[in-house]
Amino acid sequence: MRRRAGAQKSVGAGDAGDWMQLGTAEHSQPRERPEKTRSGARSLHGTCQLSFQASGGEEEITLRYRQTAELRLVFAEPSSSLPTCQAKRHIVFLKTHKTASSSVLNLLHRYGDRNRLIFALPFKHQFDYPSLFHRHSVKGYDSPMRPTYDIICHHMRFKLSEVQKVMPSDSFYFTILRDPATVAESAFSYYRSLSPAFKKAPNFTAFISHPSHYYQQGVTNHHYAHNLLWFDLGYDPDALFTEDLARAVAQTVERTFKLVLLTEHFDESMILLKEELCWELDDVETFKLNMREASRPLEQREVEQLRAWNSLDWYLYSYFNRTFWEKVERFGSEKMDNEVKRLSERRQQLAELCLDSLEPVRPEDIKGDGIEPYQSGEQKILGWDVKTKLSLQDHLRCIQMVTPELQYINLLRGVLTE
């Protein structure tokens, strides 16, 4: 039985990762893509040149960089299937914090990369966060040769009017939310050294008991400790909670974002996303990225305390938990169960094809170059190691599925890192 908001007996910070559990399953073939697509990073800054060559009977594109390094991306196979809808190519994803959004980001990276879409990229790795998003934080926006952007998906503090100046009017907006109790547990571990409120608390138990004792409004980076999702959406995390305010904001968010995913129901979220975007099953397959080595289980009393402290976030989560299951019911519960089963089976097959181990590994144990996750906070951030004896095509696909966001964004810029 699926859990809805308020129905949990206890919540552990690791619950959001349940979708990544790998078990033995047979392969279910995804629907074939209706048209031939080509993959490859699009360079806007003259850092690479495209050249064509044939190798091993496969067509490929080689992106030759100014130095000797190369990145080969293989053409997708053509399909004779007729499309039943038009795949969306203009996409706005609000990447919220501590919500499994890095896994969603990876599938957007891969889809845009494969289909040669143009990303609106930040100058570094996020759009001047925690400041509100501004169009001038997009690299190349002020250039006279500014392109039409297809996807924007990296961390920002959302401001609709500015995003609309960057993205096409037909863009599809979506985001992801998570129970604020487990957001808080993850944020405390990850941002302990950055948030003054977290730094003051001797431990997470003390913070849960008396958050207002350690929290001070108006201090830089205080938002990591209070209504973080509300803040990411562009609102004041310190606003006094009233139901009228919370409802008005939730309704505004609902009008803007046509789909709000839930971390705790990641597989169902991927199926709804696939349907909304008119993508294929493989387009929304992903391994869990940016995960911690360990998390702290929460007692129900602590869950309630954290939800009360983050009351604006809890209202948002409860509101969109309801709309999420309404979408599932419209989609069809039995159909959803079948699609989730196919998604899980396909993920299992890709894991067995790609990964040295079906369990994530510590960064020092990753043998592949350039796929170690960025380390932050009190816990090790785990990653994946890819098998070495793979065909060129499989190796490239597998590497893309485990490439962390910082390395992938550099690839999208046409810059190789050491």
Side-chain angles (χ1 to χ4, degrees), residues 252-270:
T252 299
V253 171
E254 186 176 24
R255 286 192 296 270
T256 301
F257 295 92
K258 301 310 177 187
L259 180 62
V260 177
L261 312 178
L262 299 180
T263 307
E264 291 81 358
H265 304 286
F266 194 88
D267 280 359
E268 291 90 343
S269 294
M270 292 299 98

Side-chain angles (χ1 to χ4, degrees), residues 152-169:
I152 190 168
C153 54
H154 298 93
H155 275 311
M156 68 169 74
R157 188 178 182 206
F158 189 71
K159 186 174 182 180
L160 177 60
S161 60
E162 287 295 306
V163 173
Q164 288 174 327
K165 293 172 183 175
V166 174
M167 297 300 295
S169 59

Side-chain angles (χ1 to χ4, degrees), residues 279-298:
W279 286 6
E280 302 295 333
L281 189 71
D282 272 17
D283 295 329
V284 296
E285 287 290 3
T286 181
F287 301 139
K288 188 179 182 185
L289 301 180
N290 204 34
M291 74 204 88
R292 289 174 295 153
E293 188 170 34
S295 57
R296 178 189 181 282
L298 299 174

Side-chain angles (χ1 to χ4, degrees), residues 271-317:
I271 298 303
L272 292 179
L273 181 65
K274 175 179 76 73
E275 294 300 307
E276 289 282 1
L277 296 179
C278 189
W279 286 6
E280 302 295 333
L281 189 71
D282 272 17
D283 295 329
V284 296
E285 287 290 3
T286 181
F287 301 139
K288 188 179 182 185
L289 301 180
N290 204 34
M291 74 204 88
R292 289 174 295 153
E293 188 170 34
S295 57
R296 178 189 181 282
L298 299 174
E299 297 177 2
Q300 186 59 32
R301 172 184 54 81
E302 295 176 316
V303 170
E304 298 302 331
Q305 288 175 299
L306 288 168
R307 288 172 177 172
W309 170 244
N310 297 284
S311 56
L312 295 168
D313 276 3
W314 175 237
Y315 187 96
L316 278 179
Y317 181 83

